[in-house]
Amino acid sequence: MWCPSLNRKVYVLRIGHRPVRDHRVTTHVGLVARAFGADGIFLERHVEESIIKSLEKVVETWGGPFEIVKTVNPRHTVTEWKRNGGILVHLTMYGENISDELLNLILSQNKDILVVVGGEKVPSWLYYESDYNIAIGNQPHSEVAALAIFLDRLFKGKELTREFHNAKLVVIPQKRGKKVVKKE
């Protein structure tokens, strides 16, 4: 848990991955989850090994911690998360619009948070099992963008200056150009 002010775990569940077709999007969901402060991600069992290897390589090179967990049954993962006292936030264009009041309500519960992002077809049970169905606008958009905006608001921008442990490479912010250094 990297953010002491939250004092809880935040994981992402990517649901509805279509093999081959969603390769890039699912990879980007994982990259955004890590970069924007999540502690880990659950991926469905049929997600290609190359996606998992790619995410593991990012953690190895750019640091962590960030856990990548395969789930045989996303519904079981949701049930277990809630049984263990966590809350479920489903990002969907059909949900309540994100607001400070809604975020404060989520944070006030001081519980671990499972953020679910879906693909093209999300099972109907998810809308009813979720504690919060939250929309980042009520128009079609990318689940990657929705996740980035939600996590940024949840962590109040603090995730953007997070230092990752055991990073082999680190970006040194520059006004112009780019600078990456190897960390000893």
Side-chain angles (χ1 to χ4, degrees):
M1 193 170 340
W2 69 271
C3 189
S5 63
L6 276 190
N7 199 28
R8 74 203 71 192
K9 289 183 181 174
V10 177
Y11 273 69
V12 172
L13 169 61
R14 167 69 164 139
I15 197 168
H17 172 83
R18 298 167 296 178
V20 180
R21 188 173 182 181
D22 288 338
H23 189 278
R24 190 170 173 87
V25 172
T26 297
T27 301
H28 285 194
V29 167
L31 293 172
V32 164
R34 179 193 157 278
F36 281 74
D39 297 291
I41 188 168
F42 292 98
L43 298 172
E44 292 179 288
R45 70 171 173 236
H46 58 270
V47 166
E48 298 89 338
E49 274 303 309
S50 60
I51 294 172
I52 294 167
K53 296 281 185 225
S54 178
L55 294 173
E56 288 173 342
K57 180 85 171 143
V58 168
V59 174
E60 180 186 325
T61 303
W62 295 94
F66 185 75
E67 186 178 21
I68 303 151
V69 182
K70 268 195 167 180
T71 178
V72 173
N73 183 334
R75 191 168 193 173
H76 178 74
T77 301
V78 165
T79 301
E80 284 300 305
W81 190 271
K82 292 182 79 171
R83 184 178 296 139
N84 290 323
I87 59 173
L88 183 64
V89 174
H90 173 214
L91 299 181
T92 171
M93 67 184 238
Y94 305 107
E96 298 177 83
N97 286 307
I98 193 168
S99 66
D100 289 340
E101 292 77 25
L102 199 51
L103 285 167
N104 288 335
L105 182 59
I106 292 167
L107 290 169
S108 72
Q109 294 180 57
N110 202 31
K111 295 180 177 181
D112 292 344
I113 301 168
L114 181 61
V115 183
V116 181
V117 293
E120 187 176 42
K121 182 93 170 128
V122 173
S124 60
W125 61 262
L126 187 56
Y127 292 90
Y128 299 98
E129 290 289 325
S130 296
D131 298 296
Y132 301 94
N133 287 291
I134 296 180
I136 309 296
N138 301 115
Q139 295 292 316
H141 61 279
S142 163
E143 59 268 35
V144 178
L147 180 61
I149 290 169
F150 177 78
L151 290 175
D152 185 60
R153 297 232 182 135
L154 184 72
F155 291 115
K156 299 179 180 12
K158 292 178 181 157
E159 79 286 357
L160 299 177
T161 56
R162 172 184 178 192
E163 287 191 30
F164 289 88
H165 300 287
N166 300 319
K168 293 178 182 174
L169 296 178
V170 178
V171 171
I172 307 299
Q174 304 290 305
K175 186 173 181 176
R176 290 193 176 80
K178 57 185 182 180
K179 185 173 183 180
V180 178
V181 297
K182 288 184 180 180
K183 207 168 174 191
E184 299 300 320

